[in-house]
Amino acid sequence: MTKPCTVIRHRLATGAPLGDAEAAHVEVCPDCAVLAELPARIRAARAAAADPRPGFEARLAAGARARLDRRRRRSPWLTAAAAATMLVIVAGAAWWSTRTTGDATEQRLAEHEDPTAPEQPPADDSAEDLVASLSDTEAALDFSAGGPIDEAAGQLDDLRDDIFLEDDERARVRRIADEVEKEVVRLQAEIDILNIDLRGELEAAHPDPAAVERYIDRIGALETQVRKKRILGWLRARDALAGTPAPRPSAPPAPDPDDEVYPKPLPPAPDKSALKNPFADPPPATNRAPDPDTALVDPFAEPRTGKVNIRATPWARVYLDGKEVGVTPLGMTLPAGRHEIRVERDGYQSITRTVNVDPDKLAVMSFQLAEK
Amino acid sequence: MVGLLHRETVPAREQPADERDLLLGRLASAAGRRGYAIARDLLRDPDEAEDAVQEALARACASLDRLRDPAAAEAWFCRIVTNVCLRTLRRRRLRRVLFGDGTGPEPVAPAPDASRGDVARLMQALDRLPGKQKAALVLRFGHELSIPEVAGLLGVKPATAKTHVERGLQRLRSLLEESP
């Protein structure tokens, strides 16, 4: 959550007027009160500055002329010697930098080959921070926490890092992943800014519902763009490994029992491209063999999901289809269909209910736990 | 400024003396005062400010062929002034570190107009900020420039300029609280 002090500092820097919430915060926060006065104080101090002494322009032109003349008289040999010295220094620094970088690269390669080497941290901390910030905000606003975007984050990194690839394949995938990440970071920065503005609107004394709705719509649209970028990036990476775009089969192939997660046939050459599709619909709950007509997954199709908000008094652990998923209050995005929700807390009677999740709908479940 | 500069394609260092003098005089009268105001606020010393503007004027004349858009000549000149001032501030700080507080060059005295306690404290706190933060605050609030304009003068991206302003404000507040 962005603190009000940060928002106030941001608005002072950009010159944007303070909202009602920020103005109220300035009244009670001594730090922000001092901060809010600083622009006016700097302006007042600037106004006290004196004008130049008389004859300023003439002195200025004469002084500049003298400096130009001095530079013209400067010995070319001296200038050449200074330039040569600088060149040597720069070349030495570059050589040293290359040597240091080479050592670090060799060390990383050695660690990469060593199966016991510790796992390296993710390369792009800022992108991870943005994803984390977005997730926090979503959780706070109770929509799509744990949704497909969070689950999909890092899929390209997995593709890049966890699978054995040739150097040129790795380079191709890395280039695609970098392009996608660049776009995603840009979009998430926009989402971050919109979240700040939305929070400011929500904290206002009289929030404008229309403005709030606009913010939410815009954030939702940007989230959709993020998801599309990731999915299309995943496809591009897969196609880059395959060499050619994956053809769509004209007739459904015979179902392969080993290929339940991603039944769509891939081009024959690259076994490495037969990856787990993170966006495919989950397998059915029953053990029935998949129907070839329905088992084909179109990656361009929007996943049919709905949202569920779960609240309980007092708070409790939540189990989705028998698996613990968190504690209340909890917002989840689930595949459409029937799901079993159970809430439990020590000393209280657990409650189990079934929810029917409709696509693009929000279901709210409230539980009142009774003591044993 | 447009009429002043549009014919100039040869560096001033290689031009005839009378033409160069004419150019210097026009540049000094067109943008000199604004450059002086910036230098005066950043360096807080009239003599050093004049020196900085003279140096900037000489540099501008020497590299006039690098100016691509004559309409932006004043902003270009002010950017040179800002760069010269930042370099002067760095050197001033280095001299203080090398010679120590007591034996080095005298710290810049506050301006006579700034002798009142509140303004003097603010100026002293501003002097303790890093050069770019100080420049960002002075240009943003003292000269009432927008963030993109500040970024143009500092030679950084607007987001970086905004960061300088925000961090400068925060640090200035801390320094004002520390000072008696």
Side-chain angles (χ1 to χ4, degrees), chain A residues 95-295:
Chain A
W95 173 78
W96 181 257
S97 168
T98 310
R99 186 168 169 267
T100 313
T101 311
D103 290 347
T105 307
E106 283 174 12
Q107 187 181 352
R108 277 202 301 274
L109 284 173
E111 285 173 359
H112 184 71
E113 287 169 1
D114 180 7
T116 61
E119 189 180 351
Q120 295 296 313
D124 192 351
D125 290 341
S126 60
E128 293 298 323
D129 289 344
L130 280 172
V131 171
S133 160
L134 176 61
S135 303
D136 289 345
T137 311
E138 284 171 346
L141 294 175
D142 262 350
F143 54 78
S144 78
I149 297 176
D150 292 340
E151 289 173 10
Q155 287 298 325
L156 283 176
D157 288 338
D158 293 343
L159 185 71
R160 190 178 61 197
D161 295 327
D162 293 346
I163 300 165
F164 177 77
L165 298 172
E166 300 294 339
D167 286 347
D168 60 334
E169 292 173 331
R170 187 179 296 276
R172 269 181 286 165
V173 172
R174 179 174 295 137
R175 189 167 62 247
I176 292 168
D178 289 345
E179 286 173 11
V180 171
E181 275 311 302
K182 201 170 162 186
E183 279 297 302
V184 167
V185 167
R186 185 183 65 76
L187 290 169
Q188 285 177 338
E190 279 187 54
I191 291 173
D192 218 28
I193 291 169
L194 284 170
N195 276 327
I196 290 174
D197 291 339
L198 171 60
R199 198 172 298 123
E201 186 68 36
L202 291 174
E203 288 173 358
H206 302 289
D208 179 9
V212 169
E213 195 174 339
R214 276 198 304 276
Y215 280 127
I216 292 173
D217 288 346
R218 180 72 183 136
I219 290 169
L222 288 172
E223 284 171 350
T224 305
Q225 282 191 43
V226 168
R227 189 163 55 187
K228 280 182 180 171
K229 295 279 179 199
R230 287 196 185 280
I231 294 172
L232 294 177
W234 187 89
L235 277 177
R236 281 177 59 200
R238 195 195 63 178
D239 291 344
L241 290 179
T244 54
R248 287 164 186 269
S250 53
D256 183 352
D258 295 334
D259 200 5
E260 286 187 7
V261 178
Y262 191 80
K264 184 174 178 178
L266 295 169
D271 290 341
K272 296 158 193 168
S273 62
L275 307 172
K276 180 181 175 183
N277 184 350
F279 309 106
D281 285 333
T286 62
N287 291 327
R288 182 170 52 89
D291 181 356
D293 290 328
T294 57

Side-chain angles (χ1 to χ4, degrees), chain A residues 57 60, chain B residues 1 4-5 21-33 53 56-61 64 67 73-74 76-77 80:
Chain A
E57 279 89 359
L60 200 58
Chain B
M1 291 296 285
L4 165 72
L5 297 170
D21 289 349
L22 190 65
L23 175 65
L24 279 173
R26 285 182 180 173
L27 197 54
S29 59
R33 283 186 178 267
V53 182
L57 194 56
R59 285 187 187 192
C61 284
L64 206 56
L67 176 62
E74 187 172 343
W76 175 68
F77 176 68
I80 297 176

Side-chain angles (χ1 to χ4, degrees), chain A residues 5-20:
Chain A
C5 302
T6 309
V7 177
I8 288 169
R9 209 165 54 237
H10 169 80
R11 289 187 183 274
L12 287 175
T14 54
L18 297 182
D20 292 340

Side-chain angles (χ1 to χ4, degrees), chain A residues 6 9-16 30-32 34-35 38-46 48-53 56-57 59-69 71-72, chain B residues 13 20-21 24 28-29 32-33 36-37 40-41 46-47 50-51 53-55 57-59 61-62 113 118-119 122-123 140-144 147 162 165-166 169-170 172-173 176-177:
Chain A
T6 309
R9 209 165 54 237
H10 169 80
R11 289 187 183 274
L12 287 175
T14 54
D31 289 351
C32 289
V34 175
L35 209 62
L38 283 178
R41 289 174 68 182
I42 295 172
R43 207 168 294 127
R46 156 86 191 94
D51 283 337
R53 292 191 293 273
F56 167 71
E57 279 89 359
R59 272 201 314 282
L60 200 58
R65 196 178 307 124
R67 284 167 196 266
L68 281 172
D69 287 340
R71 284 177 191 173
R72 192 163 45 181
Chain B
R13 228 187 316 188
R20 190 195 65 183
D21 289 349
L24 279 173
S29 59
R33 283 186 178 267
Y36 175 82
R40 172 77 178 70
D41 288 339
D47 296 329
E50 278 204 25
D51 268 353
V53 182
Q54 283 180 12
E55 175 64 22
L57 194 56
R59 285 187 187 192
C61 284
D113 299 302
D118 190 38
V119 177
L122 181 70
M123 289 299 189
R140 173 73 187 89
F141 300 118
H143 290 253
E144 300 189 9
I147 289 288
K162 188 168 78 64
V165 173
E166 288 188 19
L169 279 175
Q170 198 172 12
L172 187 62
R173 181 186 60 76
L176 285 172
E177 284 177 356

